[in-house]
């Protein structure tokens, strides 16, 4: 498995969400992935059982995901989500402004700018727009996202 450089997060490292999704899909989907090291870019990574490896170094581990509807917060309305995305903290300061997923300086990124949903929903960040699936380089988005 090779993660192309355009799918970066922090400089020199793959975006964690993208890397985890790619690894999960390579295993057949439905896995919870734990990153142990920053995933390198443009580098051959090997899948050995439930591990993603770069030589002898374990980059990530996978386990079957156990999902529960009890863990899912109530959805945010579209109006709330539109307002929340205007409050995306990365517009003012972003540690990795060229991040593929949420970097405001990326013209070819996913443009996911989730902001706090408001006083009523302090535990939830929201974004009204769906990421563009054509920017994923063949990776799949969860059902209902992208296009």
């Amino acid at each position: 498995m090779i993660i192309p450089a355009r799918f970066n997060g922090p400089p020199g490292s793959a975006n964690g969400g993208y890397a985890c999704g790619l690894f999960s899909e390579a295993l057949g989907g439905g896995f919870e992935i734990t990153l142990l090291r920053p995933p390198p870019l443009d580098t051959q990574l090997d899948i050995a059982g439930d591990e993603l490896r770069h030589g002898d170094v374990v980059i990530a581990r996978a386990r079957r995901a156990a999902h529960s509807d009890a863990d899912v917060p109530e959805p945010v309305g579209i109006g709330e989500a539109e307002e929340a995305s205007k409050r995306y903290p990365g517009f003012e300061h972003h540690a990795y402004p060229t991040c593929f997923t949420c970097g405001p300086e990326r013209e070819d990124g996913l443009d996911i700018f989730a902001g706090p949903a408001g006083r009523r929903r302090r535990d939830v960040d929201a974004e009204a727009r769906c990421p563009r699936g054509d920017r994923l380089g063949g990776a799949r988005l969860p059902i209902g996202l992208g296009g």
Side-chain angles (χ1 to χ4, degrees):
M1 183 174 110
I2 296 174
I3 304 168
R6 72 177 287 252
F7 301 113
N8 70 290
S13 172
N15 174 272
Y18 185 86
C20 290
L22 204 60
F23 182 29
S24 177
E25 286 297 311
L27 294 172
F31 287 85
E32 177 183 305
I33 308 297
T34 301
L35 286 176
L36 305 172
R37 303 258 189 277
L41 298 163
D42 289 331
T43 302
Q44 179 63 48
L45 301 173
D46 299 309
I47 297 172
D50 66 347
E51 295 180 338
L52 182 65
R53 298 176 151 269
H54 180 224
D56 293 334
V57 177
V58 178
I59 303 297
R61 285 203 176 95
R63 69 177 185 167
R64 272 280 168 210
H67 296 285
S68 167
D69 288 342
D71 297 335
V72 178
E74 287 295 316
V76 173
I78 191 74
E80 285 179 287
E82 288 170 345
E83 288 302 312
S85 65
K86 292 175 187 174
R87 295 187 292 269
Y88 173 58
F91 291 143
E92 293 181 26
H93 172 75
H94 199 295
Y96 311 114
T98 61
C99 173
F100 170 68
T101 301
C102 62
E105 294 180 13
R106 284 295 288 263
E107 291 184 20
D108 65 339
L110 293 181
D111 297 337
I112 298 175
F113 305 133
R119 282 182 261 147
R120 187 175 66 83
R121 301 294 304 274
R122 291 183 184 184
D123 61 329
V124 175
D125 284 353
E127 161 65 272
R129 297 169 297 132
C130 288
R132 290 182 44 176
D134 64 332
R135 295 183 176 181
L136 288 171
R140 294 183 317 148
L141 284 170
I143 293 172
L145 295 179

